[in-house]
Amino acid sequence: MSLDVSWVLSPLLAVPGVARGVVLSRDGLILGGSADVTAETGERAAAMTSSVLGAARALCDGLSNGADGEVVDIVISAGSGGYYYIAPAGDRAAIVVAATGTVNIGTLAFEVQLQVQKLVKALDEASAARVPGVRT
């Protein structure tokens, strides 16, 4: 997919304590990244994040006893006092951001969910534009 959706990260990078971010497809391909993320680093982060989301979905499905076990977001606390915040964007993409230990997780969660909604809409519109006769 050649769609660059790096713009979705701009409001997140403005949150104090957020260092960088990557937008990825569900299958682990990079769709965008913050300016300081190299292609190699972004691709590695996208692949690992895709694996983490797959494991989280399996865990939620396994523990949900038939209820909807949808993964909304994942917060991973790193040993060095930072966080990795992962949020699926529908069934096709996800956002992952790295933040320092000083980030306000509540503010970050709110901002990420706003951007997830915008990303889902943009991906839906891009998908519809590729299919003749389909309009959103």
Side-chain angles (χ1 to χ4, degrees), residues 26-40:
R26 182 170 179 160
D27 56 356
L29 301 175
I30 187 168
L31 300 176
S34 53
D36 61 344
V37 174
T38 66
E40 181 182 335

Side-chain angles (χ1 to χ4, degrees), residues 78-93:
S80 63
Y83 300 96
Y84 294 92
Y85 192 101
I86 302 168
D91 61 355
R92 292 180 291 183

Side-chain angles (χ1 to χ4, degrees), residues 9-128:
L9 296 170
S10 293
L12 303 178
L13 296 169
V15 174
V18 174
R20 63 194 50 83
V22 172
V23 182
L24 59 132
S25 66
R26 182 170 179 160
D27 56 356
L29 301 175
I30 187 168
L31 300 176
S34 53
D36 61 344
V37 174
T38 66
E40 181 182 335
T41 300
E43 289 168 1
R44 186 174 36 241
M48 288 185 286
T49 301
S50 179
S51 295
V52 169
L53 278 169
R57 285 184 184 102
L59 176 65
C60 289
D61 288 345
L63 293 177
S64 66
N65 291 330
D68 182 13
E70 179 185 8
V71 177
V72 176
D73 53 14
I74 303 167
V75 178
I76 300 171
S77 177
S80 63
Y83 300 96
Y84 294 92
Y85 192 101
I86 302 168
D91 61 355
R92 292 180 291 183
I95 297 172
V96 60
V97 294
T100 67
T102 62
V103 73
N104 180 315
I105 289 291
T107 299
L108 179 58
F110 177 77
E111 293 297 332
V112 166
Q113 291 308 316
L114 289 178
Q115 293 311 107
V116 160
Q117 292 172 15
K118 292 176 184 178
L119 178 58
V120 168
K121 182 178 179 188
L123 293 174
D124 287 347
E125 289 172 355
S127 180

